[in-house]
Amino acid sequence: MSTPKRRTTDYRIDPFDLHLFAAVMAHGTITAAASAVNLSLAAASARLKHLEDATGSRLLERSKSGAVPTDAGRALVRHANRVLAELESLHVEMASFGHGLRGTVRLLCNTAAMSETLPRTIGQFLVKTPDLDVDVQELPSEAVIDALRHGTADLGIVADYVDTSGLLVQPWVDDRLVALLPERWPLGRRRSMAYGELLEHPLVGLARDSGLSRFLAAQASRSGRVPRHRVRLGGFDAVAELVVAGVGAAVMPESAAVRFGKAGTRIVALSDSWSRRELLVCMTTAGSELPSVCALADALLGARSKVFSQ
């Protein structure tokens, strides 16, 4: 006997139950999750039981010490996070329509784009398109690609060292990383140097979780090294001030070094091949069908070709 097909209604899952399940994963216990979403323990337990019934799978292993996801639970939370992000995006965009706007484009980019090239272009775009908003966030290039593939971003700007297969990609701008050194340092008289040499000296850098800091930490770890930062700051302008003071050296995009480097500093090229890279504008095929996303992509690309290539 063939198995009867389940009706579409059998697959309906309350988004709030996904929110509750994600809270269990974040807090480790049903009790803490219930408190976080303002439910009683009994109500939370009942909703989780209903969610298991709806999915047809046991999602949690419960014990006195907490709740641990089963394999099905781990699969569900991956989908839940994506669905909840999409719902949040939906609410934000619908609110924009309610205020007379026609949409919001979510753009993720790496440190170099966020701090150097992007602000002016975004400003010009927003002035010309008052009916669109742009939600911009800085992330490492790898995280930007993941967000695009999971459908939680519309556009991405990444360095060319990441795998962009399956996305629509267009070259944007060159992004050369250089060392900014105190002029009185002996190294400051060099024309070029390897990043490994720079690691022998104290450094000044951006916040640990910035895309550039993560990238540089990964390059250092390949040789078993850990950069020694005397201080981390929020922007290249502040970093350059401490280089001038002689606190340490810094690695930053050449455009930032030229703009913020003052008397008392010297720009030295990095000889590492990874220091010379190109920034890419990326989108998904689905994103390319949205006029608002294409409008921002065209603004970013400027005079370059407006046709994306696979």
Side-chain angles (χ1 to χ4, degrees), residues 74-103:
R74 281 187 284 272
L76 177 67
V77 78
R78 290 196 298 271
H79 289 286
N81 288 335
R82 184 169 69 250
V83 169
L84 292 172
E86 285 295 322
L87 284 173
E88 177 64 23
S89 177
L90 182 151
H91 286 302
V92 169
E93 188 153 353
M94 291 304 99
S96 297
F97 279 100
H99 288 86
L101 301 171
R102 289 193 301 214

Side-chain angles (χ1 to χ4, degrees), residues 209-229:
D209 61 353
S210 73
L212 180 59
S213 292
R214 293 185 184 186
F215 174 75
L216 292 173
Q219 301 307 318
S221 68
R222 291 181 178 179
S223 59
R225 308 286 293 281
V226 177
R228 179 204 166 199
H229 283 88

Side-chain angles (χ1 to χ4, degrees), residues 92-228:
V92 169
E93 188 153 353
M94 291 304 99
S96 297
F97 279 100
H99 288 86
L101 301 171
R102 289 193 301 214
T104 299
V105 180
R106 181 164 166 74
L107 170 65
L108 304 183
C109 60
N110 70 351
T111 305
M114 175 69 89
S115 60
E116 289 302 297
T117 312
L118 190 61
R120 179 183 299 176
T121 305
I122 289 291
Q124 294 171 346
F125 173 77
L126 291 173
V127 169
K128 292 178 180 178
T129 55
D131 294 331
L132 285 177
D133 290 343
V134 181
D135 178 8
V136 186
Q137 183 181 355
E138 178 195 340
L139 287 174
S141 292
E142 296 89 346
V144 173
I145 294 298
D146 286 344
L148 285 169
R149 288 175 175 154
H150 285 88
T152 57
D154 298 310
L155 273 175
I157 301 176
V158 300
D160 61 5
Y161 67 87
V162 296
D163 176 16
T164 58
S165 58
L167 299 174
L168 306 179
V169 178
Q170 190 74 301
W172 191 38
V173 297
D174 291 332
D175 173 40
R176 182 186 180 194
L177 295 176
V178 299
L180 184 67
L181 306 175
E183 189 173 35
R184 61 178 177 270
W185 280 20
L187 289 175
R189 303 188 186 99
R190 301 270 296 276
R191 300 189 67 175
S192 69
M193 63 183 301
Y195 181 53
E197 296 178 80
L198 197 62
L199 292 174
E200 300 290 341
H201 302 272
L203 301 173
V204 179
L206 298 177
R208 193 181 306 274
D209 61 353
S210 73
L212 180 59
S213 292
R214 293 185 184 186
F215 174 75
L216 292 173
Q219 301 307 318
S221 68
R222 291 181 178 179
S223 59
R225 308 286 293 281
V226 177
R228 179 204 166 199

